[in-house]
Amino acid sequence: MPVNIHDSWKSVLKEEFEKDYFKELISFIKYEYQQHTCYPPGNEIFSAFDYCPFEKIKVVIIGQDPYHGPNQANGLCFSVKEEIPHPPSLINIFKELESDIGKPYPKSGDLSYWATQGVLLLNATLTVRAHEAGSHQKQGWEVFTDAVIQKISEQCNDIVFLLWGGFAKKKGRKIDAKKHHILTSGHPSPLSANRGYWFDNKHFSQTNAYLKSIGKAEIEW
């Protein structure tokens, strides 16, 4: 199973890749992909890392599971492939973008253009079996992505972490708030958004204001 991951991450995560839990995880994933339809495609599992080199990270957005419908997941949290209908959470993200910074609602749900600008779109679990939400949880991915977050917190400075919903907030407990800029809100899912916990959080404009204040280029959302 081919894996694409930017060279900068290989050195940062070298010790993690050599741990027993990670080797067991990869064996599990290989078996799952051989026996079942799984998402995203094997060569896109590490797309978040491939699009966003370690030294270029400006923003981290934490998701939970990849989408489990056909042709949706592309290895970036909340993102879908070109010409795929936008899932409800992504619709609400784009609506908030529209009201926050005035960006017209986009046709494409592919967020790779965010990732290439330094936005790490990290799911807590990087794979899923088709039509079975959460099916690859508790197999080691969460340990791996916790380590990723901790490495970023320790080795980088002034990163903007966008923690949307209770799950992401728990995932972000190891972030050093003295070194980084943390923004929290409800999740963009309809359940949370319709209760008033998502809309008008202004995270996109706040992120750019912070990046500008520290002399970094703003994200073209």
Side-chain angles (χ1 to χ4, degrees):
M1 184 170 67
V3 167
N4 293 329
I5 187 165
H6 193 272
D7 286 346
S8 62
W9 285 100
K10 291 177 182 176
S11 56
V12 172
L13 297 171
K14 184 175 183 293
E15 291 180 5
E16 219 59 33
F17 292 149
E18 293 172 353
K19 290 181 179 178
D20 288 342
Y21 88 86
F22 191 82
K23 293 175 182 177
E24 291 171 8
L25 168 63
I26 293 304
S27 295
F28 167 78
I29 296 303
K30 285 180 178 177
Y31 178 81
E32 283 286 297
Y33 273 71
Q34 288 168 358
Q35 299 296 320
H36 305 280
T37 300
C38 297
Y39 303 118
N43 64 345
E44 295 180 353
I45 292 172
F46 290 94
S47 284
F49 304 89
D50 201 40
Y51 276 109
C52 183
F54 185 78
E55 66 276 4
K56 291 189 177 180
I57 302 171
K58 296 178 184 176
V59 182
V60 178
I61 300 177
I62 300 173
Q64 192 163 356
D65 247 13
Y67 298 120
H68 52 81
N71 300 315
Q72 288 182 304
N74 64 356
L76 308 172
C77 72
F78 296 108
S79 176
V80 290
K81 296 187 177 185
E82 289 279 350
E83 300 179 0
I84 295 297
H86 301 171
S89 291
L90 186 58
I91 290 172
N92 287 337
I93 288 171
F94 286 155
K95 284 180 177 177
E96 175 58 23
L97 259 178
E98 202 167 15
S99 66
D100 183 12
I101 63 172
K103 174 175 177 170
Y105 191 98
K107 290 182 180 179
S108 173
D110 183 356
L111 302 180
S112 58
Y113 66 99
W114 291 7
T116 56
Q117 296 176 74
V119 181
L120 182 68
L121 296 163
L122 181 67
N123 272 319
T125 302
L126 300 190
T127 57
V128 68
R129 195 186 291 184
H131 310 299
E132 294 184 40
S135 49
H136 287 181
Q137 291 178 4
K138 299 179 181 177
Q139 297 293 334
W141 279 131
E142 294 90 344
V143 178
F144 174 70
T145 49
D146 275 348
V148 170
I149 293 166
Q150 191 154 9
K151 295 279 188 187
I152 295 169
S153 180
E154 291 171 354
Q155 297 183 29
C156 302
N157 291 299
D158 301 316
I159 303 298
V160 182
F161 286 88
L162 303 183
L163 307 182
W164 298 340
F167 180 86
K169 290 170 190 173
K170 288 178 184 175
K171 194 80 176 163
R173 283 174 180 167
K174 295 183 179 179
I175 301 165
D176 185 346
K178 295 176 183 176
K179 291 176 63 183
H180 304 287
H181 192 62
I182 302 172
L183 297 174
T184 63
S185 79
H187 195 275
S189 68
L191 183 65
S192 173
N194 293 340
R195 291 177 175 174
Y197 300 133
W198 164 256
F199 290 116
D200 206 36
N201 66 26
K202 300 192 182 303
H203 278 191
F204 302 106
S205 59
Q206 287 184 56
T207 295
N208 278 351
Y210 178 75
L211 292 174
K212 188 175 181 180
S213 76
I214 59 172
K216 290 185 180 181
E218 298 173 50
I219 305 297
E220 291 185 23
W221 303 105

